[in-house]
Amino acid sequence: MKIPKSLLVDPQKNSVYGGFAVAVSTWAFSYSVIFGQVMILAYYAVWLPLILVDYRRFLRQLSSAWLPLLFAAYICSSVFWSQAPGITARTAVQYFSHIACAYVAARTVSVRTLTIGALIGIFVVLLYSLKVGAYSEDVLDGTYNFVGAFASKNQIGFVGSLGIYFSVVFLAFLRRGRLSFILTVPVVLLSAYVLVVSHSATSMASIPAVLALVALLAMSKLLSRRYRRVIVLVGAGLIVVVAIVALNFGLMDFVLGIFGKDSTLTGRTYLWEQGWNAVQKSPILGVGYAAYWVQGFAEAERLWNEFYITARSGFHFHNTYIEALVELGFVGAVMISLIILRTLFGHLAAVVLRTWQPEPVVLAGVMVLLLIRSFVEVDILNPYIMGSFLLYYSFFKLAPVPVMQRRRVPVGPADEQNRHRADQMA
């Protein structure tokens, strides 16, 4: 049986396969540590073979992906100055292949299909965590938090916040018929429950801000392009002014108190200070990608011990930019910052300056969520995690999917005569 290419690579026709591929990816991002390499191989298997199905689709306009490719090349080249070259080489190749999978996904899967696949995957992932039902004690603040099958409350909180976000944008912009509403409600309820019992302050604080932005962008549909620009500029200015005033009047401490945090963010400020001290030793190029948190290295062992990380793995500086500075120096930190800003402002510009479409609104919300979390988490610098996949998917979606058109060859009089004779002989 021959399967049409369009059912695999055409964003308008591959909703079944695309949704399945995104769901498998979501499961792999969540539980590859538990189920091992088989989940990573499944992740590769649903994306990379599509290149062979229609390689021209992925080669056309490849120049639009120059910034992530340059960043991936820089990460791979850091093996030459890494203090742990073997680990850097392996993890850099994984990150590069992870970016390649996101590129394939962006060229073959629509935003609606991505949303449906993510909702299916998130629902199954959270159900499994409920079945595991594990709780973990936070030694620093003395609380017990639901972690399910994850390693920390922040990881499961991130999945819960994504479940709420994709459910809301699907119901608001992408659903078709009442059945979609009925099927989405369980995902919303389960995601909200997990978000509450995990006590992840980062996730609970970021999701209302993101949904408020999406609501604002949705209302901009009622305005002409000229007024959209004015509203966005005025709104951005007001946000900056309100943030500065609020910080000066102690609003930050008040908000932190709501979530049971103090001004040190449960030790994060001390961790950031230690990270900044590490940056001073190699400020331009860093110590090498994934070459700081290595077992046997004195500074990593010290911080693991101070923060009671008995597993001696899966830890970071809880700040994307400090983590990038330590591992990749100012060069790498600037690159990843440019990727984030280019993606965010690219989708915001699509909403403000072009004909209003829901897809840029959805991806702009994703980017704002990742941007907020980037100051207290590290979601986009590692392979095989949902945050980095969504970042590069959103970046590659800035370029329109190339459409292959059949060339029409003009028919001359002689050709028309020959065709007429052939018809008569037949």
Side-chain angles (χ1 to χ4, degrees), residues 263-310:
S263 58
T264 67
L265 294 174
T266 320
R268 277 185 172 89
T269 53
Y270 170 74
L271 194 58
W272 296 344
E273 180 185 356
Q274 298 303 302
W276 184 249
N277 292 336
V279 172
Q280 310 308 312
K281 299 177 182 178
S282 184
I284 305 300
L285 300 178
V287 298
Y289 180 61
Y292 185 86
W293 301 103
V294 178
Q295 293 184 6
F297 285 12
E299 286 301 307
E301 295 285 355
R302 178 178 65 83
L303 291 174
W304 281 328
N305 182 62
E306 291 182 4
F307 283 86
Y308 306 98
I309 309 298
T310 56

Side-chain angles (χ1 to χ4, degrees), residues 88-364:
T88 296
R90 182 181 70 252
T91 314
V93 171
Q94 292 172 346
Y95 195 73
F96 178 81
S97 62
H98 183 59
I99 294 176
C101 289
Y103 176 76
V104 173
R107 287 295 174 97
T108 58
V109 174
S110 67
V111 174
R112 184 176 187 273
T113 301
L114 173 82
T115 303
I116 294 173
L119 289 175
I120 296 172
I122 289 169
F123 185 67
V124 176
V125 164
L126 294 182
L127 281 180
Y128 181 78
S129 276
L130 285 179
K131 179 184 177 182
V132 174
Y135 282 77
S136 175
E137 180 184 6
D138 192 328
V139 181
L140 295 178
D141 59 17
T143 59
Y144 280 90
N145 309 297
F146 178 74
V147 296
F150 287 83
S152 74
K153 64 179 182 179
N154 293 320
Q155 291 179 350
I156 194 171
F158 182 42
V159 175
S161 63
L162 286 176
I164 294 174
Y165 177 75
F166 281 124
S167 296
V168 171
V169 296
F170 179 73
L171 293 175
F173 307 122
L174 305 172
R175 71 183 177 94
R176 298 172 184 171
R178 295 182 179 179
L179 181 62
S180 299
F181 179 82
I182 297 173
L183 296 177
T184 307
V185 169
V187 186
V188 177
L189 296 178
L190 181 60
S191 300
Y193 172 75
V194 167
L195 190 59
V196 171
V197 296
S198 67
H199 301 128
S200 175
T202 302
S203 300
M204 287 191 289
S206 59
I207 196 64
V210 174
L211 293 179
L213 172 70
V214 169
L216 179 63
L217 294 177
M219 289 187 292
S220 70
K221 180 181 180 181
L222 304 176
L223 304 174
S224 65
R225 297 181 192 177
R226 183 197 314 174
Y227 291 111
R228 282 185 215 163
R229 300 173 191 174
V230 174
I231 292 297
V232 169
L233 290 175
V234 172
L238 287 176
I239 290 174
V240 172
V241 171
V242 170
I244 294 174
V245 173
L247 290 174
N248 289 333
F249 279 90
L251 181 63
M252 178 62 72
D253 293 334
F254 174 75
V255 173
L256 292 174
I258 294 176
F259 295 102
K261 303 291 182 181
D262 55 23
S263 58
T264 67
L265 294 174
T266 320
R268 277 185 172 89
T269 53
Y270 170 74
L271 194 58
W272 296 344
E273 180 185 356
Q274 298 303 302
W276 184 249
N277 292 336
V279 172
Q280 310 308 312
K281 299 177 182 178
S282 184
I284 305 300
L285 300 178
V287 298
Y289 180 61
Y292 185 86
W293 301 103
V294 178
Q295 293 184 6
F297 285 12
E299 286 301 307
E301 295 285 355
R302 178 178 65 83
L303 291 174
W304 281 328
N305 182 62
E306 291 182 4
F307 283 86
Y308 306 98
I309 309 298
T310 56
R312 299 160 67 209
S313 64
F315 196 56
H316 48 69
F317 286 107
H318 283 277
N319 183 292
T320 299
Y321 311 102
I322 292 179
E323 190 78 22
L325 284 168
V326 171
E327 296 184 359
L328 301 170
F330 280 94
V331 176
V334 168
M335 284 187 182
I336 192 63
S337 300
L338 288 176
I339 292 173
I340 295 173
L341 295 176
R342 172 70 183 93
T343 310
L344 173 60
F345 287 109
H347 289 296
L348 288 176
V351 177
V352 175
L353 303 178
R354 303 176 191 169
T355 303
W356 195 94
Q357 296 291 335
E359 288 79 8
V361 176
V362 174
L363 296 181

Side-chain angles (χ1 to χ4, degrees), residues 9-70:
V9 298
D10 188 345
Q12 304 303 321
K13 300 179 181 180
N14 69 344
S15 56
V16 174
Y17 180 80
F20 168 76
V22 174
V24 169
S25 302
T26 304
W27 182 273
F29 298 149
S30 302
Y31 297 140
S32 61
V33 176
I34 298 175
F35 295 97
Q37 296 179 352
V38 63
M39 292 308 306
I40 301 302
L41 293 176
Y43 167 58
Y44 285 141
V46 295
W47 296 118
L48 296 183
L50 297 182
I51 298 176
L52 302 177
V53 175
D54 186 5
Y55 69 92
R56 292 185 181 89
R57 171 182 292 269
F58 306 103
L59 293 179
R60 290 192 296 271
Q61 298 182 13
L62 184 60
S63 59
S64 62
W66 69 270
L67 184 54
L69 292 179
L70 180 63

Side-chain angles (χ1 to χ4, degrees), residues 359-403:
E359 288 79 8
V361 176
V362 174
L363 296 181
V366 168
M367 289 308 304
V368 171
L369 179 62
L370 294 177
L371 178 64
I372 294 174
R373 291 181 59 87
S374 69
F375 294 100
V376 290
E377 294 293 340
V378 181
D379 295 320
I380 59 178
L381 283 179
N382 300 317
Y384 314 140
I385 56 177
M386 195 67 176
S388 54
F389 182 83
L390 290 175
L391 168 65
Y392 291 109
Y393 175 90
S394 301
F395 181 95
F396 296 131
K397 271 296 181 183
L398 291 173
V401 178
V403 179

